[in-house]
Amino acid sequence: MTRRIRIILLMIAAVLPATAQLRLPAIMSDHMVMQRNEKIRFWGWADKGARVTVALAGNTASAKAARDGRWSVQLPALPAGGPYTVTVSSKKETITLDDVLVGEVWICSGQSNMEFMLRSINNADEEIRSATNGNIRSFDVQKDMARFPKDDLKGDWKICSPQTAGNFSAVGYLFCREIAERLNVPVGLINTSWGGTDIESWMSMETIDAFPKYRRLMTRLRSEELEAYLARGKEVEAAFLKAIADEPGEKEQWYLPSYSKSDWKPLRVPGLWTDDALSGVDGVVWTTVEFSVPEALAGQPAILSLGMIDDDDVTWINGTKVGSTVGYDIKRRYTVPSGVLKAGKNELTVKIVDNHAGGGCYGSSDLFFLQIGQERLSILGDGWKYKIAVDNEAFEYVEDGPNAFPSRLFNAMVAPIAGYPARGFVWYQGENNAPRAEEYYRLFPAMINDWRSRWNRADMPFYWVQLANYMPSDEHPSASNWAVLRDAQNSARSLPHTGQAVIIDVGDADDIHPRDKQTVGHRLACLALHNDYGMADIYCESPQPLKAVKHGDNVLVTFENVARGLKAKSRYGYVCGFAVAGKDGKYRWVRAETSGIDAVLLDCTGIDNPKSVRYAWADNPDDANLYNSAGLPAAPFEKAVEE
């Protein structure tokens, strides 16, 4: 039965039109699940001054609606149970909620891998056929955006059944199913997710304000003229795109060394644009740097590596075009023909077309070089400069969408349910932020603390899924934004009451949405069952490195969270996925073996003075095979070698 509202009319209402002013938020409706063993909070709206009474399981509480019509009450905590009927009444009206359960509530959020539906995973038909536990309920928040925090959202509670479960979040459902089965209590899943979204979209305005990069966007978001900006967006889009196509740089040959660049401004490379003049720019920005080539290498062919560029680029050396690429997540590697490089001073010029969000050359510094034969020359330093050719600001053009401005998903899809009592959060996001992975070290913990503050619980459990392995594997050790993003996720474990499901062994090189969501849900559930429900027999932590120390000419890496010991999933017993860099800074694969129950010995033959160790440090570390005895894979890491 859907929520029904019974209007209890006074005698005077027989001759006056009825107006139903009593209202509950959408999250409080038929089939809802409330958090057990925690004070139960109801809130809503009514006529100013109206007294509202809520009754549940023999308990009642009343409150008077404030001048703005808002009211809120608390009822005593209840153990798991139900179904109950809830009545919410004022002098004029009554709302009745049916089939209400009390149990465990988890809020699941993120981008497409959290949104990913049960009907699309491995073995989906069998999973759906067996989805018969009516004590599992899912509330799917409808997608929405808002300038400022909203009071309410849209969605409804669905009872788990073979007819409904196919549309449930696969990760959310599989996580909640295991909890429901192990605890034998009702479990409610609140799914608020949106594919292809940045973490910034899920953070409150106050939290985003602490990041100067977004000052320009947040000023516009708060502006009363935003709607007009957005409305004009479509009108000026054609003019903006034409300006990009007709940008003056190529016509005026800014790529020639003879073109004066004395008025170009300093730029930090690598890194996405954070300079105030660039942080909000979408359009065309030209960048340049001078570098030196020894006389012995002049004229030789070379390979230019420019890391990655957000979004598109055209690149010249000494006025000769050496390559162009469309796409922000592609490593730039261009062939420099014979005769282009000169002895002494040379000039590299890169035209960057930034279509949305952050722009610039980004990636690890070891991705920026010129390879000439066996010699590798750096193209980094303090000499980079830039000049803006086309700026969206001049057109008042704003591309709308969930990532166009920070906070809008938080405002529409989180703020309205903030404070709804729940056990904790489950988060699966990061793919969209991988091109700007370094920023995640600050953004992610800020978001965790942000959400906890909204629920007024500093220790509220927060669990997440580390990024899966994805894209082609590397033949040689290489820099990886996905590895940096994983490391940023891993570092957030320093916050209390957090946990991470490592899944570098269940991804798909060709699909950013791996179909094995069963393993993901299980590893998340193990975190909750062990940490929050006291099941000490369930092991939930992946191996993490403690230290890497020199061991003769080799390196010994010791670990925590090994359960009964480390093991290599290999018929030969060798551990794969380790790379070591010596004093030259170049990483090389090394042979490795487990040593005792908690260490791995790295054979560093041929490496002069080992300085740093990496494990599973790649977009797709598909050969990484180090596990603990509980079957959990070791987390990827980079660690300095101690003497």
Side-chain angles (χ1 to χ4, degrees):
M1 179 184 300
T2 60
R3 184 197 304 192
R4 65 184 188 276
I5 302 179
R6 296 197 304 267
I7 310 299
I8 303 176
L9 300 175
L10 300 174
M11 291 181 62
I12 193 173
V15 292
L16 294 177
T19 57
Q21 296 296 323
L22 184 62
R23 181 166 64 89
L24 291 170
I27 193 72
M28 297 173 187
S29 53
D30 291 344
H31 317 303
M32 67 186 287
V33 182
M34 299 180 296
Q35 179 60 43
R36 65 172 175 163
N37 303 329
E38 188 171 326
K39 287 183 179 180
I40 296 171
R41 179 175 173 239
F42 277 86
W43 71 87
W45 301 265
D47 288 332
K48 180 181 70 173
R51 179 157 293 279
V52 179
T53 300
V54 180
L56 165 65
N59 301 307
T60 62
S62 298
K64 189 176 180 180
R67 296 177 65 178
D68 62 0
R70 297 171 185 264
W71 57 266
S72 175
V73 302
Q74 278 193 344
L75 293 167
L78 293 173
Y84 296 104
T85 297
V86 179
T87 59
V88 183
S89 57
S90 66
K91 192 174 181 180
K92 297 179 180 180
E93 307 160 67
T94 297
I95 298 173
T96 302
L97 307 182
D98 290 322
D99 188 32
V100 173
L101 300 179
V102 179
E104 292 296 303
V105 178
W106 286 87
I107 298 163
C108 301
S109 186
Q111 58 179 112
S112 54
N113 270 304
M114 180 60 80
E115 187 180 7
F116 201 80
M117 294 182 182
L118 189 68
R119 68 189 183 201
S120 299
I121 69 171
N122 291 343
N123 203 29
D125 291 344
E126 178 55 34
E127 295 287 9
I128 291 171
R129 277 195 299 270
S130 64
T132 56
N133 187 345
N135 277 340
I136 299 175
R137 312 284 174 87
S138 178
F139 185 94
D140 289 330
V141 176
Q142 289 188 20
K143 294 177 180 176
D144 193 14
M145 301 180 289
R147 283 180 61 207
F148 297 105
K150 297 181 72 171
D151 291 327
D152 203 1
L153 41 69
K154 294 181 180 180
D156 56 6
W157 287 93
K158 293 286 196 305
I159 302 172
C160 176
S161 73
Q163 289 71 46
T164 61
N167 291 328
F168 286 8
S169 159
V171 169
Y173 166 72
L174 294 165
F175 166 79
C176 289
R177 181 183 69 181
E178 189 159 348
I179 291 173
E181 291 174 348
R182 293 297 297 263
L183 301 182
N184 194 28
V185 299
V187 178
L189 153 66
I190 300 174
N191 172 29
T192 178
S193 55
W194 190 329
T197 52
D198 302 335
I199 192 173
E200 297 93 326
S201 300
W202 295 100
M203 298 167 66
S204 72
M205 299 171 77
E206 294 82 1
T207 298
I208 283 293
D209 284 340
F211 294 85
K213 171 182 176 180
Y214 303 103
R215 187 179 301 125
R216 186 173 173 182
L217 286 173
M218 297 308 290
T219 298
R220 176 165 284 179
L221 180 63
R222 289 182 168 97
S223 169
E224 294 181 359
E225 299 180 357
L226 177 67
E227 296 303 325
Y229 276 128
L230 296 177
R232 286 198 298 269
K234 289 297 180 184
E235 298 174 12
V236 302
E237 181 179 17
F240 176 61
L241 295 177
K242 185 175 188 302
I244 290 177
D246 296 340
E247 62 86 24
E250 290 206 41
K251 293 179 181 178
E252 298 173 11
Q253 298 181 314
W254 294 4
Y255 51 82
L256 292 178
S258 59
Y259 182 87
S260 174
K261 301 173 178 66
S262 60
D263 61 339
W264 291 28
K265 299 178 181 179
L267 178 65
R268 181 180 62 86
V269 177
L272 292 175
W273 299 329
T274 56
D275 181 277
D276 285 345
L278 284 175
S279 61
V281 170
D282 291 333
V284 181
V285 177
W286 284 69
T287 66
T288 190
V289 70
E290 293 182 349
F291 61 94
S292 294
V293 173
E295 185 172 355
L297 301 178
Q300 296 187 31
I303 298 295
L304 173 67
S305 176
L306 275 177
M308 285 170 280
I309 294 177
D310 191 346
D311 292 289
D312 311 330
D313 76 287
V314 185
T315 299
W316 294 263
I317 290 181
N318 296 332
T320 298
K321 181 179 176 181
V322 296
S324 63
T325 302
V326 174
Y328 70 88
D329 56 352
I330 303 170
K331 292 177 181 177
R332 269 54 173 185
R333 286 291 183 96
Y334 297 141
T335 299
V336 182
S338 300
V340 171
L341 296 175
K342 305 181 300 181
K345 185 177 73 174
N346 291 256
E347 184 179 84
L348 166 67
T349 306
V350 183
K351 182 180 86 167
I352 298 174
V353 180
D354 178 35
N355 300 311
H356 173 71
C361 297
Y362 65 94
S364 172
S365 59
D366 59 7
L367 284 175
F368 292 80
F369 59 85
L370 191 71
Q371 186 78 39
I372 310 174
Q374 300 300 312
E375 296 291 327
R376 178 170 292 190
L377 308 179
S378 175
I379 54 172
L380 297 179
D382 298 328
W384 282 84
K385 298 188 291 185
Y386 76 90
K387 182 175 183 177
I388 299 174
V390 178
D391 185 350
N392 60 315
E393 187 74 9
F395 294 82
E396 295 186 338
Y397 170 63
V398 179
E399 180 188 14
D400 201 12
N403 298 321
F405 295 91
S407 302
R408 288 200 296 174
L409 300 191
F410 176 90
N411 290 341
M413 299 175 66
V414 178
I417 57 172
Y420 185 85
R423 175 66 66 183
F425 306 105
V426 178
W427 177 253
Y428 195 163
Q429 189 275 342
E431 297 91 341
N432 248 53
N433 283 85
R436 300 175 284 120
E438 290 286 347
E439 298 176 4
Y440 216 77
Y441 285 99
R442 291 186 60 220
L443 289 169
F444 191 32
M447 182 235 170
I448 294 172
N449 290 328
D450 185 13
W451 282 30
R452 285 173 163 174
S453 71
R454 303 294 160 167
W455 268 259
N456 198 28
R457 279 183 56 194
D459 63 347
M460 196 165 178
F462 198 109
Y463 303 130
W464 63 86
V465 184
Q466 196 182 53
L467 293 189
N469 48 311
Y470 172 57
M471 294 183 282
S473 57
D474 294 318
E475 182 178 352
H476 303 289
S478 179
S480 164
N481 283 306
W482 277 57
V484 174
L485 196 288
R486 292 189 194 105
D487 192 61
Q489 292 174 314
N490 198 56
S491 70
R493 294 170 54 253
S494 62
L495 295 177
H497 299 96
T498 57
Q500 171 180 261
V502 178
I503 61 162
I504 57 170
D505 55 339
V506 299
D508 186 330
D510 301 316
D511 193 346
I512 202 170
H513 305 114
R515 262 53 178 179
D516 180 4
K517 294 296 193 274
Q518 290 88 343
T519 299
V520 180
H522 171 67
R523 289 177 182 170
L524 286 167
C526 286
L527 290 164
L529 292 170
H530 179 91
N531 295 332
D532 305 304
Y533 302 119
M535 297 189 180
D537 61 315
I538 293 178
Y539 206 88
C540 63
E541 295 287 350
S542 282
Q544 295 277 350
L546 289 171
K547 58 183 178 179
V549 299
K550 288 186 178 178
H551 191 77
D553 293 331
N554 300 319
V555 171
L556 187 70
V557 184
T558 55
F559 290 81
E560 61 181 347
N561 306 332
V562 301
R564 294 184 304 276
L566 295 172
K567 62 179 182 178
K569 285 193 174 181
S570 165
R571 71 171 69 180
Y572 304 110
Y574 295 124
V575 181
C576 301
F578 276 93
V580 175
K583 65 180 183 180
D584 62 358
K586 184 177 180 180
Y587 282 91
R588 298 170 177 82
W589 300 123
V590 296
R591 183 168 171 172
E593 295 180 319
T594 57
S595 177
I597 66 169
D598 66 348
V600 174
L601 184 63
L602 311 182
D603 182 351
C604 298
T605 302
I607 298 177
D608 185 11
N609 194 12
K611 293 291 187 181
S612 180
V613 174
R614 285 176 174 173
Y615 172 72
W617 197 268
D619 299 337
N620 183 7
D622 59 353
D623 65 338
N625 65 343
L626 183 63
Y627 290 76
N628 60 24
S629 62
L632 297 175
F637 67 86
E638 180 179 49
K639 204 161 190 65
V641 176
E642 302 174 19
E643 294 292 337

